[in-house]
Amino acid sequence: MTETLSTPAAGELNAEGLLDAYRTMRTIRVFEERVHDEFATGEIPGFVHLYAGEEASATGVCSHLDARDSIASTHRGHGHCIAKGVDPVEMMAEIYGKRTGSCHGKGGSMHIADLSKGMLGANGIVGGGPPLICGTALAAKQQNNGGVGVAFFGDGASNQGTTLESLNLASVWNLPAIFVAENNGYAEATASTWSVAADNIADRAAGFGMPGVIVDGFDFFAVHEAAGEAISRAREGGGPTLIEVKFTRYFGHFEGDQQAYRADEVANARDKLDCLKRFRARVTESGQLESSALDTVDSEVAALIESAVTEAKAAPKPTGVDLETDVYVSY
Amino acid sequence: MLANADAKATVGVLANPASGRDIRRLVAQASVFPTAEKANMVQRICGALGTLGIARVLMSTDLGGISAAVLRATRNRRASQSPWPDLEFCELDRFTETAEDTVTQVRRMIDAGARVIICLGGDGTARAVASACGDVPLLPLSTGTNNAFPQLREATVAGLAAGLVAAGVIDPATATQQTSVLEVRAGDRVELALVDVCVSTATHIGSRALWDPAALTELYCTFAEPDGIGLSSVPGQLCPSPRTEPTGVVLRLCAPEVARHVVHAPIAPGLVLPVGVRSWRPLRPGEELPVSADHGVVAVDGEREIELRRGEPATVRLRADGPRCVDVTRVLGIAAREGWLRDSQQHQ
């Protein structure tokens, strides 16, 4: 049982909302740490790129979204999927390449999608998401349903023509599109300080005539607040926004990355900046939630992920017949 | 150029790469101040200081690209351009990308002999510099958002004024104005504000800025000018208090519907909103007041900084020992009277 000791101010989450946000961040963290461990056993096919450390971004943004809204993700897409409501059990099966997976085991980590949840897909193409979001944002605008499209992309994708063209198009057409640049400091192994000509990705917004803001990506409340303003603005016809979220990814670019290109920043981030630690400290110090409620979530999430792995390992693989399904789409 | 200038005069220049990037670009129409312009301002300052014959500039370093752009400029300068002072970059062992970088660099500049610190940023930057500059004169230039404290002024002119002070041709006591600060204490947490302290019902620091007047309950100001921007503009239109006076002002805020006074105040760029005021009175130097709220967030100079904890009372005290700020208008007025920037020639 949780209790709210003060009435939330405008735009702030109540106790239930805070618990939901914590559950989402915790689910992403435990999911990713478990995939990290399981990948090392050799059972998971293909590549995986883990989102641990970045949970506040996906959660802070997606906690404002509903069924009208769609998101496009990146190769590091597990966190976005979970935050948009994709079933972690199906996701785990997908990563294991099993028939019970989100895409029947034919997509794998980098192509998890669930259109029923408005999750257009993780995307192996760097900079592939922003053009998709221009499409869904245009559809929402034409349908006048108040929906928005959110494109998550990284510092590497911020240099891609597709991303820059999408920023331009979204501004020209005043689309309800939110561009979330998740700057974890490295495009694969290349530091963004070496490869991004603008000193802040958010600075590029001015050139496209849209607001650009920088947010502390370790702070759920900072992301949640900025995303809430941007999404409200977009829903009301105010047009697109570029939000640059700065943080550190806890694992390598991909599992197996030796990470010789970076020093001790991960240890510092995990110790002093971690979004889950900060969230827990703040909501308990403010009296918004009791520690016991968060502990309960921890236990439930641990059980969920354990179950997801067990089910994924036991699930059947796709057969040759499955190759002939989901090939064509009828309109 | 200055006959009686100190040949070893040194000026510190601190440029904050993070200023002018917060959520107020989204919730208001706050200005975007590009890194390239900050670097240009540093170059204009160096040009002015070089013309005066200032020996050395200590320049901050950053990961935002300002110091890199200035370094590139030193390599691309043409022979026909006026000479710059020797430019030394203040290295950090490790960037935290927080206000700590600013504080560390200012301390190192002063240890290395800087006699004036010019800082480029907003109120938040000036606050960080002020916490470290002690009695060394400060010249804050605006490149931030609210900019109630720093001056929106041409960098070349500011460079001339700073150079005259650093060169020792004008008495610092004459050239500067000591400002007040507000000291906020909540348990073991201490923050200083140069302009205002405001209590909000918001629960978390979040994206830091304040833009919803309905959430504000208490406001303390070191000064309040009628033409100010930011929260101090509320008393600025109700009960002005000049920054040259040591007295401040404290207000109790409430919803406009039940307020005794409603001020339509420019609380952020692009946001002129009704703010309800229940009461106000002068705040005397040295006076310490308890924060009435037992929960919420305390903002200093428009940025949420302290989340209040239950059972941990907070206080606000007005102190008269704020930074000594260079009065550019006064310095250049004296320069005009004394002819420091003139060459007198006999024409036949």
Side-chain angles (χ1 to χ4, degrees):
Chain A
M1 184 70 185
T2 61
E3 72 177 316
T4 308
L5 298 179
S6 59
T7 305
E12 294 187 349
L13 293 169
N14 59 18
E16 184 183 4
L18 290 170
L19 262 188
D20 284 347
Y22 181 75
R23 182 184 300 278
T24 302
M25 288 198 292
R26 186 73 191 165
T27 303
I28 297 170
R29 175 66 57 83
V30 178
F31 187 99
E32 295 295 64
E33 291 187 334
R34 187 62 183 266
V35 171
H36 172 76
D37 292 341
E38 296 294 334
F39 189 84
T41 69
E43 276 193 78
I44 294 175
F47 275 102
V48 293
H49 305 77
L50 300 179
Y51 195 73
E54 307 183 4
E55 294 87 350
S57 175
T59 309
V61 173
C62 291
S63 57
H64 293 283
L65 303 182
D66 57 36
R68 296 170 293 175
D69 307 318
S70 54
I71 68 168
S73 178
T74 70
H75 53 279
R76 198 176 308 286
H78 303 168
H80 306 133
C81 290
I82 292 171
K84 194 62 174 71
V86 181
D87 182 359
V89 176
E90 292 182 7
M91 285 175 59
M92 191 66 83
E94 185 62 36
I95 290 169
Y96 271 85
K98 299 299 180 69
R99 280 184 79 185
T100 54
S102 310
C103 303
H104 310 300
K106 292 184 279 190
S109 167
M110 267 193 283
H111 302 284
I112 301 175
D114 188 342
L115 300 186
S116 72
K117 303 290 187 187
M119 168 57 193
L120 302 186
N123 203 317
I125 298 172
V126 174
L132 299 178
I133 281 312
C134 285
T136 61
L138 178 60
K141 184 175 180 179
Q142 295 294 98
Q143 291 166 354
N144 197 27
N145 63 7
V148 302
V150 178
F152 293 95
F153 58 96
D155 40 294
S158 76
N159 294 330
Q160 294 292 320
T162 48
T163 303
L164 299 168
E165 290 172 42
S166 298
L167 290 166
N168 186 64
L169 192 67
S171 194
V172 167
W173 286 350
N174 198 41
L175 296 178
I178 316 299
F179 298 91
V180 181
E182 297 187 321
N183 186 350
N184 63 27
Y186 296 92
E188 297 194 1
T190 303
S192 58
T193 49
W194 287 38
S195 58
V196 182
D199 299 303
N200 298 289
I201 296 168
D203 291 359
R204 290 180 165 162
F208 295 105
M210 69 174 76
V213 298
I214 296 175
V215 179
D216 177 358
F218 291 109
D219 185 345
F220 165 82
F221 296 102
V223 178
H224 181 262
E225 197 168 71
E229 291 293 332
I231 290 167
S232 297
R233 180 175 176 274
R235 291 198 199 286
E236 293 165 9
T241 298
L242 172 58
I243 300 174
E244 181 178 2
V245 184
K246 296 196 179 196
F247 44 36
T248 300
R249 59 169 148 78
Y250 286 178
F251 295 114
H253 167 66
F254 56 90
E255 283 307 279
D257 178 3
Q258 295 302 307
Q259 303 182 69
Y261 51 86
R262 63 179 183 172
D264 60 349
E265 61 217 61
V266 174
N268 180 61
R270 276 188 183 271
D271 182 41
K272 295 180 179 165
L273 303 173
D274 185 74
C275 62
L276 279 155
K277 286 183 186 170
R278 286 169 74 178
F279 185 96
R280 177 181 273 266
R282 283 179 163 179
V283 297
T284 53
E285 284 175 7
S286 65
Q288 292 171 291
L289 293 174
E290 300 291 341
S291 286
S292 57
L294 300 171
D295 294 341
T296 301
V297 171
D298 290 352
S299 301
E300 291 169 354
V301 168
L304 171 69
I305 302 304
E306 184 62 40
S307 168
V309 172
T310 304
E311 289 185 34
K313 287 182 176 178
K317 290 181 178 177
T319 65
V321 176
D322 293 317
L323 285 174
E324 298 171 4
T325 61
D326 306 324
V327 177
Y328 298 104
V329 174
S330 58
Y331 294 93
Chain B
M1 180 175 178
L2 298 169
N4 54 345
D6 184 337
K8 295 180 181 175
T10 297
V11 171
V13 179
L14 185 295
N16 180 7
S19 66
R21 298 287 188 279
D22 72 22
I23 195 172
R24 282 169 287 192
R25 263 119 299 259
L26 176 57
V27 298
Q29 283 72 48
S31 58
V32 177
F33 215 102
T35 298
E37 179 52 22
K38 293 176 185 175
N40 285 342
M41 287 174 69
V42 174
Q43 294 178 59
R44 302 204 293 273
I45 289 167
C46 288
L49 294 172
T51 304
L52 292 176
I54 298 301
R56 187 171 60 139
V57 165
L58 301 174
M59 171 70 202
S60 60
T61 50
D62 62 281
L63 295 178
I66 302 172
S67 53
V70 173
L71 178 63
R72 280 196 297 275
T74 63
R75 293 169 178 166
N76 297 333
R77 284 178 58 75
R78 288 167 292 168
S80 59
Q81 291 178 300
S82 61
W84 279 6
D86 290 338
L87 190 60
E88 293 179 21
F89 288 92
C90 191
E91 302 282 351
L92 279 179
D93 305 325
R94 185 171 184 276
F95 286 98
T96 65
E97 296 192 74
T98 67
E100 190 181 325
D101 293 346
T102 297
V103 170
T104 304
Q105 298 201 72
V106 169
R107 285 185 179 141
R108 290 188 180 181
M109 288 174 188
I110 291 170
D111 289 346
R115 294 187 182 169
V116 175
I117 302 291
I118 302 174
C119 76
L120 279 59
D123 289 326
T125 310
R127 186 171 72 247
V129 174
S131 72
C133 69
D135 290 331
V136 174
L138 170 64
L139 201 165
L141 287 177
S142 166
T143 66
T145 305
N146 260 8
N147 304 325
F149 190 78
Q151 302 163 12
L152 190 57
R153 185 181 276 285
E154 167 51 39
T156 315
V157 177
L160 288 172
L164 291 168
V165 176
V169 296
I170 182 168
D171 177 13
T174 306
T176 61
Q177 168 80 42
Q178 181 142 35
T179 59
S180 301
V181 289
L182 289 160
E183 179 187 276
V184 188
R185 287 186 176 274
D188 57 352
R189 296 166 293 175
V190 182
E191 291 284 345
L192 294 180
L194 296 171
V195 184
D196 56 63
V197 171
C198 191
V199 182
S200 163
T201 58
T203 314
H204 298 288
I205 290 170
S207 56
R208 293 190 172 271
L210 293 172
W211 65 91
D212 178 12
L216 311 180
T217 58
E218 299 165 55
L219 177 62
Y220 308 76
C221 297
T222 54
F223 62 85
E225 297 172 327
D227 60 346
I229 179 74
L231 295 171
S232 68
S233 69
V234 177
Q237 283 298 321
L238 183 65
C239 45
S241 179
R243 73 171 78 196
T244 50
E245 296 293 324
T247 308
V249 61
V250 55
L251 300 89
R252 302 293 163 192
L253 306 178
C254 60
E257 307 83 65
V258 297
R260 190 169 160 213
H261 307 279
V262 176
V263 182
H264 297 271
I267 64 166
L271 287 181
V272 183
L273 296 173
V275 180
V277 180
R278 190 188 306 280
S279 63
W280 64 270
R281 72 170 179 81
L283 184 60
R284 295 181 298 277
E287 187 175 3
E288 184 171 57
L289 295 176
V291 170
S292 300
D294 61 354
H295 69 277
V297 171
V298 177
V300 292
D301 295 336
E303 293 188 340
R304 283 172 274 170
E305 287 287 351
I306 298 176
E307 292 177 359
L308 295 174
R309 300 174 186 141
R310 283 177 297 155
E312 190 174 79
T315 58
V316 179
R317 183 162 70 98
L318 181 64
R319 286 176 19 191
D321 59 344
R324 301 196 67 89
C325 291
V326 175
D327 186 332
V328 175
T329 303
R330 189 188 299 169
V331 170
L332 290 174
I334 294 170
R337 272 205 312 276
E338 301 293 329
W340 290 331
L341 299 179
R342 289 200 301 267
D343 287 328
S344 297
Q345 297 176 357
Q346 297 284 332
H347 293 284
Q348 294 182 344

